[in-house]
Amino acid sequence: MPFVLSDQEHQMMAFVSESDLVDLAVELDYVPEAQIDRVALLNALIPRILDLAEREGLPFSKYDADDIAELPQHHRAALANRMGWPADPSGMLKQGEKVYKRYRKRRNSQVAVMLPMLISAVARCAHEGH
């Protein structure tokens, strides 16, 4: 079954520009349709962010500490497990800050910019086994 964002998760992304979503898609090697369907595009991108997390981790900064801590424990544990990281918020933040430093050196990343808005969906996707 494909991953589907909840209504609340879609509402969080309602004010993100279409061009930023397309930039995120391109960064994740996904070619969006000519006619952008925001819902379908976001549903397709979350599993790709999870794939990226498995390959290289996620770029967290100190500003993401609350977002990580507020994740349901079982979602946070599933995401941490997929990345091979400790499941406690401080351990995830420490590992994520290392990834964030690499991101800052090599590119201006939409993943890093949008991750605070998408972290709950990415963690839920990890928990659901996508």
Side-chain angles (χ1 to χ4, degrees):
M1 177 189 270
F3 180 77
V4 178
L5 285 165
S6 70
D7 290 340
Q8 181 182 9
E9 291 163 344
H10 278 292
Q11 287 175 348
M12 288 176 36
M13 298 299 294
F15 298 105
V16 174
S17 74
E18 198 171 275
S19 65
D20 286 343
L21 288 177
V22 169
D23 288 346
L24 178 62
V26 169
E27 183 175 342
L28 296 169
D29 295 324
Y30 183 84
V31 179
E33 299 292 325
Q35 184 68 25
I36 301 297
D37 176 346
R38 293 175 68 88
V39 172
L41 181 57
L42 283 165
N43 288 340
L45 294 180
I46 297 300
R48 287 178 173 268
I49 294 172
L50 184 57
D51 290 342
L52 178 71
E54 290 177 336
R55 287 191 314 273
E56 60 184 56
L58 290 175
F60 293 125
S61 74
K62 63 183 177 183
Y63 302 108
D64 298 315
D66 289 341
D67 296 323
I68 295 168
E70 291 172 1
L71 291 171
Q73 191 280 330
H74 55 286
H75 290 185
R76 186 175 56 246
L79 179 59
N81 184 53
R82 298 282 283 266
M83 295 187 290
W85 290 2
D88 64 288
S90 63
M92 287 183 75
L93 186 61
K94 184 177 180 179
Q95 292 296 318
E97 285 176 332
K98 293 176 186 176
V99 176
Y100 188 77
K101 285 180 185 178
R102 290 194 315 262
Y103 268 61
R104 286 184 50 195
K105 288 180 182 177
R106 69 178 188 212
R107 63 180 181 252
N108 184 11
S109 169
Q110 285 298 325
V111 171
V113 170
M114 290 190 192
L115 187 57
M117 291 180 282
L118 298 172
I119 187 62
S120 64
V122 174
R124 184 170 61 82
C125 183
H127 174 70
E128 292 175 359
H130 292 278

